[in-house]
Amino acid sequence: MTDTPLIGRLVVCGVGLIGGSFALALRAAGAVGHVVGYGRTRAALERAQALGVIDSIADDWQHALAGADMVLLAVPVGQIAQVMADMAPHLAPGTIVTDAGSTKRDVIEAIYEKLDGQLARVVPAHPIAGAEKSGVDAAFATLYQQRNVVVTPLPENDRDAVERVTAAWQACGATVRQMSPQEHDRVFAAVSHLPHLLAYGLVHDLAGRANAEQLFSFAAGGFRDFTRIAGSHPEMWRDICLANRHALTAELDQYLAELAYLRALLIGNDGKALEALFAEAREARNRWADKAFPT
Ligand code: NAD
């Protein structure tokens, strides 16, 4: 007799890096029976099937959702409201819906607007794992191992639905933490969205200069590390920055004030204060890195 998997039939809408890795991780854990892929382009889904990420392709929501136990929405956050509107008429009461969106307040607004009949079973979440690569070819089974996943449950959620989404991410090797959507969006504006904005901004500024070629020809490891995330998916980051623009603007203002302070130290030739600031930042950065990425 074989054990029943945690999720009998999983639908992944948006089989890219995040959705594809979720499917692969659940498969590796023996936690899923059948994975249905639903997406924007047929060619990408065929590729996902050829790679063994999904078992079958659905051409419409009606077929995708027939008999589904769980649906993961892993499309750019700007697409989520439309996707929810399209799926709503075909969603059975027992099916659990979750998402992987990098922002939560906008996704939750869409849930209340488009899936208001299903609030007990729609559990918002965000895996804190990723890469600057996108698409199903970038997906891998261990992406979520020892990573955090933030779940921001709705007051209307069934406990069972929250537990099942939690169990799915745990089966992928992740640690699940709960937060309010407001806190989530403020925290990730500071530690994720702002760094992406800065990396894109710096590269864009240099690339637009008359001597850009010369500048890039001398850029080395430090520049590569600082700008790695400027290689991320533009559509995805457009959506994230716009969806979280209020919290992100507040973070940007705070950062501009820090830059103004740094500028004043340079103009004042204040080596003592500059070194003290660098030392504090180095200490905080190393303490964080040792904890977050122990060797
Ligand atoms: P991706 O580009 O690798 O995959 C997205 C997939 O969604 C693609 O296959 C695309 O064809 C499909 N898609 C786009 N619009 C669609 C639509 N309307 N209907 C159906 N399919 C559609 O992107 P990704 O990195 O996997 O990101 C997916 C989600 O995960 C985003 O919401 C993002 O905010 C979130 N996320 C990304 C990261 C990261 O670092 N990449 C980390 C955490 C969360």
Side-chain angles (χ1 to χ4, degrees):
M1 216 175 88
T2 52
D3 288 339
T4 313
L6 179 68
I7 307 164
R9 193 175 170 89
L10 170 73
V11 180
V12 177
C13 174
V15 192
L17 169 70
I18 295 295
S21 298
F22 185 68
L24 286 172
L26 290 172
R27 261 192 209 298
V32 68
H34 185 97
V35 183
V36 182
Y38 184 68
R40 189 156 58 173
T41 56
R42 178 89 199 174
L45 293 170
E46 282 170 2
R47 176 80 185 140
Q49 194 172 21
L51 289 170
V53 176
I54 57 174
D55 298 296
S56 62
I57 298 171
D59 290 320
D60 55 52
W61 274 116
Q62 190 187 350
H63 288 97
L65 291 175
D69 296 297
M70 189 180 286
V71 183
L72 174 74
L73 303 179
V75 300
V77 286
Q79 303 282 322
I80 275 195
Q82 187 58 50
V83 163
M84 287 177 180
D86 294 343
M87 73 190 289
H90 310 287
L91 198 53
T95 306
I96 293 172
V97 180
T98 187
D99 76 293
S102 304
T103 50
K104 293 278 62 85
R105 285 199 314 173
D106 60 317
V107 170
I108 289 171
E109 262 174 42
I111 293 171
Y112 281 108
E113 202 179 308
K114 310 293 185 192
L115 297 177
D116 58 327
Q118 308 279 348
L119 296 179
R121 313 287 283 169
V122 187
V123 183
H126 173 204
I128 314 305
E132 62 281 11
K133 296 208 169 73
S134 54
V136 71
D137 283 282
F140 59 102
T142 55
L143 176 63
Y144 304 114
Q145 271 178 20
Q146 291 165 1
R147 296 309 180 97
N148 286 315
V149 172
V150 177
V151 173
T152 61
L154 308 179
E156 295 85 350
N157 280 165
D158 273 353
R159 225 169 96 183
D160 164 66
V162 177
E163 279 169 8
R164 287 175 61 118
V165 169
T166 300
W169 284 113
Q170 286 168 339
C172 296
T175 301
V176 176
R177 298 167 65 175
Q178 289 196 12
M179 253 187 201
S180 77
Q182 291 79 5
E183 189 182 12
H184 171 279
D185 285 4
R186 277 197 305 271
V187 166
F188 289 97
V191 297
S192 173
H193 309 167
L194 179 67
H196 279 80
L197 200 72
L198 300 181
Y200 280 126
L202 177 66
V203 176
H204 178 259
D205 174 29
L206 297 186
R209 296 193 195 178
N211 66 338
E213 210 172 307
Q214 181 199 31
L215 293 174
F216 284 123
S217 76
F218 284 106
F223 185 79
R224 185 195 55 200
D225 291 347
F226 189 88
T227 61
R228 178 181 61 80
I229 50 183
S232 303
H233 200 299
E235 179 192 7
M236 189 179 102
W237 282 96
R238 174 202 66 192
D239 286 359
I240 292 169
C241 291
L242 292 180
N244 203 22
R245 64 188 176 282
H246 298 301
L248 182 52
T249 310
E251 286 303 327
L252 191 56
D253 288 345
Q254 179 138 354
Y255 193 72
L256 287 170
E258 178 78 11
L259 289 180
Y261 177 61
L262 283 167
R263 187 172 190 277
L265 295 183
L266 292 179
I267 287 174
N269 200 22
D270 191 343
K272 199 164 164 243
L274 200 59
E275 187 180 346
L277 185 152
F278 289 169
E280 266 180 48
R282 180 175 75 165
E283 150 75 7
R285 201 272 177 194
N286 289 347
R287 208 174 337 112
W288 162 77
D290 290 346
K291 203 168 154 204
F293 301 98
T295 45

